[in-house]
Amino acid sequence: MNSITISMLAALSLISGFALAADMPPEGKAKCGTCHAIDKSSVAPSFMEISEKYKGDKDAARKIAANITMGGAFGWEFGEMPAKGLNANDAEIQSLSKFIADLAK
Ligand code: HEC
């Protein structure tokens, strides 16, 4: 094994460790973390609870992305979410939506 292969394997194991632990992605921490946590609701529903709401819905990631982009109230009775959280861009919204949708699978 050459060193490139070894470092690729190291990177892969980091990525899979990350997925298993379901840590908040960095952009989620920066742009959503003031209000949302993965597994605890405080001023907003936890990402896990949101994921449960959409469990089994094949269109979950798309619907979640649309709601993040729009902001507002979604029936959780926590109040209102600012559109795009703290200024997340479209790529970040797409990847966070997929992350949320996959949590409860
Ligand atoms: C200032 C606080 C705040 C920030 C920042 C914030 N949210 Fe929210 N979010 C809320 C609140 C409050 C609700 C619940 C609204 C309600 O009561 O219906 C919510 C609801 C949601 C929902 C539920 C949508 C649904 O369909 O039920 C999703 C998904 C979500 N937020 C994702 C995010 C993501 C991703 C980010 C970062 C890009 C983010 N939020 C940033 C406050 C916030």
Side-chain angles (χ1 to χ4, degrees):
M1 241 190 279
N2 61 32
S3 62
I4 294 175
T5 317
I6 292 170
S7 53
M8 277 171 61
L9 283 176
L12 271 179
S13 65
L14 272 180
I15 294 168
S16 52
F18 177 82
L20 280 178
D23 276 339
M24 185 71 98
E27 72 271 29
K29 248 180 219 154
K31 297 180 175 175
C32 326
T34 354
C35 302
H36 291 279
I38 301 263
D39 55 357
K40 274 192 238 73
S41 301
S42 48
V43 299
S46 71
F47 282 173
M48 184 55 90
E49 277 181 291
I50 296 169
S51 190
E52 299 276 355
K53 170 178 164 184
Y54 288 95
K55 200 173 175 178
D57 186 339
K58 288 204 184 77
D59 218 15
R62 196 191 55 80
K63 289 180 186 165
I64 292 172
N67 286 352
I68 297 170
T69 307
M70 214 167 43
F74 312 100
W76 292 92
E77 306 194 336
F78 279 90
E80 293 219 344
M81 163 153 163
K84 305 191 174 189
L86 302 179
N87 220 2
N89 65 35
D90 287 348
E92 290 168 335
I93 291 173
Q94 295 301 326
S95 72
L96 287 166
S97 301
K98 191 169 180 324
F99 171 78
I100 295 169
D102 286 346
L103 279 174
K105 272 187 187 155

